[in-house]
């Protein structure tokens, strides 16, 4: 298991990551054109009113004072209030409702990527240079090369509009109303926000089917990209492992091919792949921004796009920080798993 | 008995610190000088006031600092993963965590120096 010091070191890395992201977002928002005071005051406001708003929110202070105040607020998790998107609503509350949506989409996407990518990579390695291998490699290359903003609309046209199998957008059919709490041995607990889990907890199986049907297309679109990279990595890693001496020894002892591959090869070949899965999660979060926009899902990706569109700076800052935090925490989890699989990492 | 503080790798601590301070410090010095010159030149050449010029210059410095810091911590956090991916995907870019950390430390130092330089020159000119 991962040593305490290893986990502490990884947690400490959160500080420079978040400071870096906060600084980067602050700089980009101040370099980019647009005046938040004008946005807040409204397009018809007079110059005096705009100046008053500027004084009120501290934009007339020197830039380094604003930077210091921004960092201090961020450190206390004070992300501010939305200017335009949902006026006077705190950024934290806006994100609180949307984070589970994005996490659910990314997790299902990642699951699809892993469940398809690993076996495809193994098959491709076992049947190296066969027709199956070529088809799998072409599939992987296609998956890596096709952008989500193209594949998203294409699958909607094919599976929703033409074939009518899956719904085009949203998270669940409008006819379903889910209560805000569920019963756990007589205690009322709030919903998790993960709609597939909530429908199961509420024992609404018809709603669960609807939620899954809504999730299939968006999760497949981002999962396909993830699958491509994972299968490519798995193939290369597996090919390297099967050339190792211990695999030759296992074969020489008369062990069957299947057991040699699955028992001795798979675990060792999986070690480098698991690290890529962590980085992939970041790509999935980035993909979620596009996927949510294409499929009309109200996650933090869609909120980020809307906030950039209307110049709602606090929401943009908060959303990017949450993305960074999610990515770092997932990588921490992956690192701990990695160190469990390969104890040399802790040295 | 030699009482020089040592690292786990048995190298002397001071030379380890000196190397790193030199790496970041020289970049910070360069960034600071460039920022001071940049602010003064922009004030002389453009019609913009000190507030606008210092905001733009500080933001550029912060951009470098944020990028460097994020890149440095990202290299430490995901360096081995990226090295693995490079190796198994046959990209042949020779990217390494070590090189990346050094480069990012210099970029971050340059940006930080720029931010400090803007604060210094703006504080003097503000009076």
């Amino acid at each position: 298991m991962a040593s305490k010091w290893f986990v502490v070191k990884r947690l400490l890395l959160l500080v420079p990551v978040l400071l870096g992201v906060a600084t980067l977002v602050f700089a980009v928002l101040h370099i980019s054109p647009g005046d938040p005071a004008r946005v807040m005051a409204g397009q018809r406001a007079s110059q005096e009113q705009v100046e008053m708003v500027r004084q009120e929110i501290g934009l007339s202070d020197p830039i380094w004072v604003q930077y210091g105040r921004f960092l201090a607020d961020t450190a206390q998790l004070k992300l501010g209030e939305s200017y335009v998107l949902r006026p006077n609503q705190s950024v934290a509350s806006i994100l609180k409702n949307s984070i589970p949506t994005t996490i659910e989409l990314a997790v299902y996407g990642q699951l699809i990527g892993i469940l398809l990518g690993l076996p495809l990579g193994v098959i491709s390695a076992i049947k190296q240079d066969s027709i199956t291998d070529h088809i799998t490699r072409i599939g992987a290359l296609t998956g890596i090369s096709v952008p989500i903003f193209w594949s998203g609309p294409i699958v909607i046209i094919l599976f929703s509009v033409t074939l009518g199998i899956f719904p085009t957008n949203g998270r669940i059919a409008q006819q379903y109303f889910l209560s805000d709490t569920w019963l756990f041995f007589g205690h009322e607990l709030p919903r998790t926000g993960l709609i597939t889990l909530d429908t199961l907890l509420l024992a609404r199986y018809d709603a669960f089917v609807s939620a899954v049907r809504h999730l299939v297309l968006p999760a497949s679109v981002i999962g396909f990209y993830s699958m491509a990279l994972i299968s490519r990595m798995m193939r290369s890693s597996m090919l390297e492992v099967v050339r190792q001496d211990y695999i030759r020894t296992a074969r020489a002892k008369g062990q069957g091919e299947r057991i040699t591959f699955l028992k001795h090869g798979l675990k060792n070949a999986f070690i480098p792949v698991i690290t890529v899965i962590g980085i992939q999660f970041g790509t999935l979060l980035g993909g979620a921004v596009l996927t949510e926009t294409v499929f009309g899902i109200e996650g933090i990706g869609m909120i980020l796009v809307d906030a950039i569109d209307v110049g709602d700076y606090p929401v943009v800052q908060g959303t990017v920080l949450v993305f960074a935090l999610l990515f770092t925490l997932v990588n921490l989890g992956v690192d701990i798993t990695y160190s469990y699989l390969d104890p040399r990492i802790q040295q | 008995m030699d009482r020089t503080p040592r690292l786990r790798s048995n190298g002397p601590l001071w030379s380890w610190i000196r190397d790193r301070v030199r790496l970041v410090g020289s970049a910070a010095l360069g960034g600071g000088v460039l920022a001071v010159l940049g602010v003064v030149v922009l004030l002389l050449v453009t019609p913009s006031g000190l507030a606008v010029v210092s905001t733009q210059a500080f933001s550029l410095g912060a951009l470098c600092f944020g990028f460097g810091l994020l890149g440095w911590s990202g290299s430490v956090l995901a360096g081995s993963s990226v090295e693995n991916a490079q190796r198994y995907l046959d990209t042949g870019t020779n990217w390494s965590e070590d090189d990346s950390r050094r480069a990012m430390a210099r970029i971050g130092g340059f940006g930080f120096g720029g931010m400090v330089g803007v604060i210094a020159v703006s504080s003097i000119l503000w009076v």
Side-chain angles (χ1 to χ4, degrees), chain A residues 10 13 16-17 19-21 23-24 27-28 30-31 63-64 67 229 232-233 236-237 240 272 275 279 328 338, chain B residues 54-56 58-60 62-63 65-67 69-70 73 76-77 81-82 84-85 87-89 115 119 122-123 126:
Chain A
R10 292 282 152 174
L13 267 176
V17 168
L19 178 62
V21 171
T23 306
L24 208 57
V28 168
H30 278 81
I31 290 172
I63 179 85
W64 51 91
Y67 176 63
L229 198 67
R232 196 80 184 84
M233 277 285 293
S236 304
S237 177
E240 195 181 271
T275 59
I279 305 179
T328 320
Y338 187 39
Chain B
S54 65
T55 298
Q56 292 298 312
F58 186 89
S59 301
L60 279 175
L63 195 68
F65 175 60
F67 180 77
L69 194 60
L70 191 62
S73 45
V76 178
L77 197 76
S81 313
V82 178
N84 269 331
R87 188 175 141 216
Y88 287 101
L89 297 177
M115 289 161 75
I119 295 174
S122 304
S123 304
W126 214 293

Side-chain angles (χ1 to χ4, degrees), chain A residues 101-175:
Chain A
T101 309
T102 303
I103 288 179
E104 187 173 45
L105 182 60
V107 166
Y108 279 103
Q110 188 72 285
L111 273 178
I112 289 175
I114 293 170
L115 291 178
L116 291 177
L118 289 182
L120 281 178
V122 173
I123 291 168
S124 197
I126 293 173
K127 297 182 184 294
Q128 193 189 359
D129 294 331
S130 65
I131 291 286
T132 320
D133 182 27
H134 293 318
I135 292 172
T136 312
R137 284 162 71 187
I138 290 170
L141 266 178
T142 313
I144 293 172
S145 315
V146 173
I148 289 170
F149 59 80
W150 184 82
S151 58
I154 291 295
V155 295
I156 289 178
I157 291 169
L158 183 64
F159 292 104
S160 303
V161 179
T162 311
L163 299 173
I165 304 172
F166 297 110
T168 50
N169 63 350
R171 295 181 76 198
I172 194 166
Q174 282 185 341
Q175 74 222 44

Side-chain angles (χ1 to χ4, degrees), chain A residues 1-304:
Chain A
M1 195 57 199
S3 68
K4 272 183 203 160
W5 179 231
F6 178 80
V7 176
V8 169
K9 265 202 298 190
R10 292 282 152 174
L11 279 174
L12 283 176
L13 267 176
L14 271 176
V15 178
V17 168
L18 293 180
L19 178 62
V21 171
T23 306
L24 208 57
V25 174
F26 177 86
V28 168
L29 289 180
H30 278 81
I31 290 172
S32 56
D35 184 1
R38 168 64 65 186
V39 173
M40 279 181 78
Q43 291 305 316
R44 290 181 185 175
S46 64
Q47 194 54 38
E48 287 76 32
Q49 285 170 314
V50 174
E51 279 306 318
M52 210 151 47
V53 173
R54 203 186 303 280
Q55 292 275 350
E56 208 175 289
I57 60 173
L59 285 177
S60 49
D61 292 333
I63 179 85
W64 51 91
V65 175
Q66 293 178 46
Y67 176 63
R69 195 167 43 223
F70 169 68
L71 288 187
D73 285 347
T74 307
Q76 296 170 65
L77 295 177
K78 286 183 192 164
L79 299 174
E81 287 183 350
S82 166
Y83 297 159
V84 196
L85 209 58
R86 292 173 200 172
N88 302 325
Q89 199 175 335
S90 75
V91 174
S93 71
I94 294 173
L95 295 179
K96 201 177 108 187
N97 296 330
S98 314
I99 289 171
T101 309
T102 303
I103 288 179
E104 187 173 45
L105 182 60
V107 166
Y108 279 103
Q110 188 72 285
L111 273 178
I112 289 175
I114 293 170
L115 291 178
L116 291 177
L118 289 182
L120 281 178
V122 173
I123 291 168
S124 197
I126 293 173
K127 297 182 184 294
Q128 193 189 359
D129 294 331
S130 65
I131 291 286
T132 320
D133 182 27
H134 293 318
I135 292 172
T136 312
R137 284 162 71 187
I138 290 170
L141 266 178
T142 313
I144 293 172
S145 315
V146 173
I148 289 170
F149 59 80
W150 184 82
S151 58
I154 291 295
V155 295
I156 289 178
I157 291 169
L158 183 64
F159 292 104
S160 303
V161 179
T162 311
L163 299 173
I165 304 172
F166 297 110
T168 50
N169 63 350
R171 295 181 76 198
I172 194 166
Q174 282 185 341
Q175 74 222 44
Y176 296 107
F177 175 79
L178 301 178
S179 60
D180 287 337
T181 54
W182 59 285
L183 279 177
F184 182 70
F185 292 110
H187 298 282
E188 280 199 346
L189 294 176
R191 269 170 47 192
T192 59
L194 308 170
I195 203 149
T196 47
L197 185 62
D198 284 335
T199 47
L200 284 178
L201 293 173
L202 291 164
R204 298 283 304 274
Y205 303 113
D206 49 344
F208 172 74
V209 172
S210 170
V212 170
R213 286 187 69 233
H214 279 77
L215 207 56
V216 168
L217 288 186
S220 301
V221 165
I222 49 174
F224 188 56
Y225 179 82
S226 181
M227 176 274 286
L229 198 67
I230 290 172
S231 72
R232 196 80 184 84
M233 277 285 293
M234 193 67 203
R235 179 184 179 274
S236 304
S237 177
M238 197 73 184
L239 282 175
E240 195 181 271
V241 165
V242 294
R243 291 189 191 112
Q244 300 293 317
D245 288 344
Y246 59 85
I247 296 286
R248 198 176 301 130
T249 309
R251 278 180 179 146
K253 280 164 66 185
Q255 199 163 49
E257 279 294 295
R258 182 177 288 186
I259 294 181
T260 308
F261 269 112
L262 297 182
K263 192 177 170 190
H264 300 291
L266 198 59
K267 186 183 170 189
N268 290 306
F270 188 56
I271 289 171
V273 179
I274 196 169
T275 59
V276 174
I277 291 173
I279 305 179
Q280 270 295 98
F281 194 79
T283 319
L284 286 185
L285 287 175
V289 175
L290 291 169
T291 315
E292 285 170 8
T293 311
V294 171
F295 288 92
I297 299 169
E298 277 206 32
I300 45 176
M302 196 168 174
I303 286 181
L304 177 65

Side-chain angles (χ1 to χ4, degrees), chain B:
Chain B
M1 199 175 124
D2 182 16
R3 288 185 177 275
T4 313
R6 286 181 176 273
L7 293 168
R8 207 192 305 176
S9 58
N10 213 24
L13 181 64
W14 300 122
S15 72
W16 185 86
I17 292 174
R18 196 180 55 230
D19 287 349
R20 274 141 188 88
V21 169
R22 193 179 286 166
L23 181 80
V24 180
S26 58
L29 193 68
V33 171
L34 195 72
V36 172
L37 288 175
V39 169
V40 173
V41 169
L42 281 176
L43 278 175
L44 293 173
V45 174
T46 63
S48 308
L50 182 62
V52 175
V53 168
S54 65
T55 298
Q56 292 298 312
F58 186 89
S59 301
L60 279 175
L63 195 68
C64 288
F65 175 60
F67 180 77
L69 194 60
L70 191 62
W72 179 85
S73 45
S75 302
V76 178
L77 197 76
S80 58
S81 313
V82 178
E83 277 179 1
N84 269 331
Q86 303 265 333
R87 188 175 141 216
Y88 287 101
L89 297 177
D90 298 328
T91 52
T93 58
N94 286 333
W95 185 94
S96 75
E97 184 197 328
D98 252 15
D99 291 347
S100 174
R101 271 194 285 122
R102 287 177 66 84
M104 290 301 166
R106 283 192 86 84
I107 294 173
F110 180 82
F112 185 74
M115 289 161 75
V116 174
V118 172
I119 295 174
V121 73
S122 304
S123 304
I124 294 166
L125 296 175
W126 214 293
V127 181

